[in-house]
Amino acid sequence: MDEMDPFEARLLFGNMLDNLTGAQPTIDRVAGFAVKNSSVADNLLDCMTEKLEKLAVPPRLNVLLVIDAILLTVSRRTRGMTAAEEEEEEAEAVDARRGWVELIKKDVVRLVREVVPETPGGDGNVPQVRKVVSGWRRKGVFDKKVLASVDKLLANRAGGGATTEHSNNNKDNNGNNGTATAAGGMKHQEILRRIEEDRERHKRHKEDAWIRPPNEPAHNELEAYWETTSDFNDADWFELAAENTNYRHELELLGAASR
């Protein structure tokens, strides 16, 4: 496999990050470049770290989503490979891809902290970050110790500060629509764009939830559903009662039709 010069790779990757948005095709394109050039992963991760420090808080989420896409792509490729396929592919390429996980593992808490600082903008990133971490847990990307450290960082954090505030009030202090600025520095049109990107991402997240890692323990899927299912509440009782009423009504109709 031809290796790109580290300086050239860093320069190209930096330009891609400069044009990064929350749109999934853009995230996939940047992540694809990173996975393809796994031999210079340390340089590319440094580039993302520097970008996180320079960006305003809300767009930092996009960089974390690139990291998430890298991890899931690498995990999918390496875990899905048979021994014969690993022998067929260059060993260095396989090791380099796995190196991405080890590199990110060392800095994952610091990276997440940069995305969710204790500011209104950071609070707005918390819900999506929790979904990302849930995906890592479900896919077995990191061990429990690493995930526990990230969970501790996110514990007791309220989410949706900037976005929620603007979805409830789209006017600035002067009463002008469409130009309001969120507590995290986001304008109304940017809020709308981000909501649409979140919808698309949520759809893909639900689709991805059906894909299970190869050779995973049988109880993992049950545990994932157990963790993400809400407690039984009054709404569930109401839904069950409605279904029973409909069922009895259908039985009565069938009985009347058979007479």
Side-chain angles (χ1 to χ4, degrees):
M1 182 179 70
D2 294 334
E3 293 186 6
M4 183 176 288
D5 176 74
F7 178 77
E8 182 186 2
R10 189 183 181 105
L11 187 63
L12 288 172
F13 194 64
N15 289 336
M16 294 175 79
L17 290 176
D18 287 340
N19 296 302
L20 180 65
T21 70
Q24 196 63 44
T26 307
I27 291 169
D28 290 341
R29 184 163 58 252
V30 177
F33 179 90
V35 173
K36 183 178 179 180
N37 295 282
S38 295
S39 60
V40 291
D42 52 345
N43 283 277
L44 302 185
L45 183 58
D46 285 344
C47 196
M48 285 190 283
T49 302
E50 291 174 7
K51 188 68 176 176
L52 280 173
E53 294 171 353
K54 294 176 182 178
L55 280 172
V57 175
R60 292 180 189 179
L61 176 63
N62 298 336
V63 179
L64 184 68
L65 294 174
V66 169
I67 292 171
D68 176 51
I70 292 170
L71 288 169
L72 296 185
T73 301
V74 170
S75 177
R76 203 155 36 227
R77 288 190 184 181
T78 52
R79 294 189 180 199
M81 293 179 73
T82 63
E85 288 172 332
E86 286 197 19
E87 288 179 6
E88 189 174 318
E89 187 171 358
E90 293 180 28
E92 290 183 4
V94 177
D95 290 341
R97 285 208 301 265
R98 287 181 174 142
W100 261 118
V101 178
E102 293 304 313
L103 278 172
I104 295 171
K105 179 180 177 180
K106 294 176 185 176
D107 284 338
V108 66
V109 173
R110 180 168 62 88
L111 292 167
V112 172
R113 186 182 292 115
E114 288 288 343
V115 178
V116 290
E118 295 189 7
T119 65
D123 290 342
N125 286 341
V126 168
Q128 189 63 42
V129 172
R130 285 197 173 117
K131 288 182 183 179
V132 169
V133 176
S134 174
W136 293 346
R137 179 176 289 105
R138 191 174 63 251
K139 301 297 182 183
V141 175
F142 296 123
D143 57 45
K144 291 183 179 180
K145 184 178 179 181
V146 173
L147 292 170
S149 299
V150 180
D151 288 338
K152 185 178 179 180
L153 176 65
L154 297 174
N156 303 318
R157 288 294 301 276
T163 303
T164 303
E165 181 175 340
H166 270 268
S167 61
N168 293 332
N169 182 8
N170 291 331
K171 295 185 179 181
D172 62 13
N173 293 332
N174 296 321
N176 296 321
N177 283 319
T179 58
T181 302
M186 296 175 69
K187 292 187 177 181
H188 176 53
Q189 288 194 347
E190 187 178 351
I191 292 288
L192 294 179
R193 177 179 57 78
R194 181 164 170 175
I195 288 173
E196 189 58 37
E197 290 169 352
D198 284 349
R199 283 176 182 160
E200 179 188 350
R201 199 173 297 116
H202 180 65
K203 179 181 177 182
R204 290 181 63 123
H205 178 79
K206 288 179 69 176
E207 292 171 350
D208 189 59
W210 291 95
I211 305 173
R212 309 301 306 178
N215 306 318
E216 73 167 351
H219 59 81
N220 278 21
E221 186 172 5
L222 173 62
E223 288 182 356
Y225 281 115
W226 185 266
E227 290 176 2
T228 56
T229 301
S230 62
D231 295 335
F232 200 82
N233 54 40
D234 291 342
D236 296 307
W237 284 115
F238 181 79
E239 187 175 348
L240 282 173
E243 288 183 1
N244 286 335
T245 300
N246 291 336
Y247 179 66
R248 285 194 295 268
H249 181 63
E250 289 176 1
L251 282 180
E252 290 172 1
L253 292 176
L254 287 172
S258 61
R259 289 178 191 146

